[in-house]
Amino acid sequence: MKREQQQLSYYGLYLLRYLMEQHSKKAKDLNFIYQRELLAAETFEQARREGHSVEGAQELAMDALMKGLSMTPWSILMEVLEKEFAVEVDEEQIPFAEKLLPLVKPVFEPYDLTQPEFELSTDYVQLYTELTGAVVLYIEQYGVQ
């Protein structure tokens, strides 16, 4: 896999890392990764030609790169920890998330994370809020360690 990784661009490496963390079976599909990598690069170039800022073009490219890849409990928990508990968990974020994920799994059960654009839905907002509350309760009772 190392040899193939060296041939990937920023987009390909970003996608590969995401897939290894969130969708391990799909991480082996190099054709999928190469196609998405190319799509993201082309999207970036086209957006710049259309006058988008670098940041705007990058956002469009990342949207193309990640389109259709459903969110996972891990990715949502990591987002909550990064946005809501950065000070509390600091560099302990990954070990803390690994310990916490099995305990908060029931919070995810009522939600269909595979629904299209779940992250834009009111269900996502509700899940995010419930998950944030569960983390608060855990930290209050047990701390971060």
Side-chain angles (χ1 to χ4, degrees):
M1 184 72 98
K2 280 281 191 219
R3 184 174 171 92
E4 292 89 357
Q5 288 178 15
Q6 291 175 351
Q7 297 172 5
L8 294 172
S9 71
Y10 164 78
Y11 295 119
L13 290 171
Y14 181 93
L15 180 58
L16 177 61
R17 180 174 180 197
Y18 173 81
L19 293 174
M20 288 171 66
E21 293 173 356
Q22 304 297 331
H23 303 277
S24 58
K25 290 180 185 174
K26 206 156 190 67
K28 296 175 182 144
D29 187 351
L30 289 177
N31 189 41
F32 172 78
I33 294 169
Y34 289 137
Q35 288 175 353
R36 284 296 179 93
E37 171 185 55
L38 181 60
L39 176 63
E42 289 171 351
T43 300
F44 180 86
E45 289 176 24
Q46 182 62 35
R48 290 295 289 148
R49 277 191 235 112
E50 292 172 358
H52 290 273
S53 67
V54 171
E55 293 84 8
Q58 178 68 2
E59 186 174 330
L60 292 170
M62 293 304 287
D63 287 347
L65 184 70
M66 304 303 285
K67 184 176 178 147
L69 296 173
S70 63
M71 301 188 80
T72 64
W74 175 261
S75 65
I76 297 170
L77 177 59
M78 290 299 286
E79 182 177 358
V80 166
L81 294 176
E82 288 170 5
K83 291 184 177 177
E84 307 299 332
F85 302 96
V87 172
E88 292 88 342
V89 297
D90 198 21
E91 64 272 348
E92 299 296 318
Q93 184 175 340
I94 292 176
F96 182 65
E98 289 171 343
K99 176 174 41 174
L100 194 58
L101 187 59
L103 303 172
V104 297
K105 280 277 190 189
V107 175
F108 292 94
E109 289 175 3
Y111 300 98
D112 179 8
L113 305 183
T114 63
Q115 84 183 40
E117 299 187 353
F118 176 75
E119 66 277 8
L120 303 176
S121 70
T122 56
D123 280 351
Y124 175 77
V125 174
Q126 186 172 344
L127 170 59
Y128 188 97
T129 302
E130 290 177 22
L131 189 56
T132 301
V135 174
V136 166
L137 293 173
Y138 182 88
I139 290 174
E140 285 176 355
Q141 188 167 5
Y142 302 105
V144 176
Q145 302 303 330

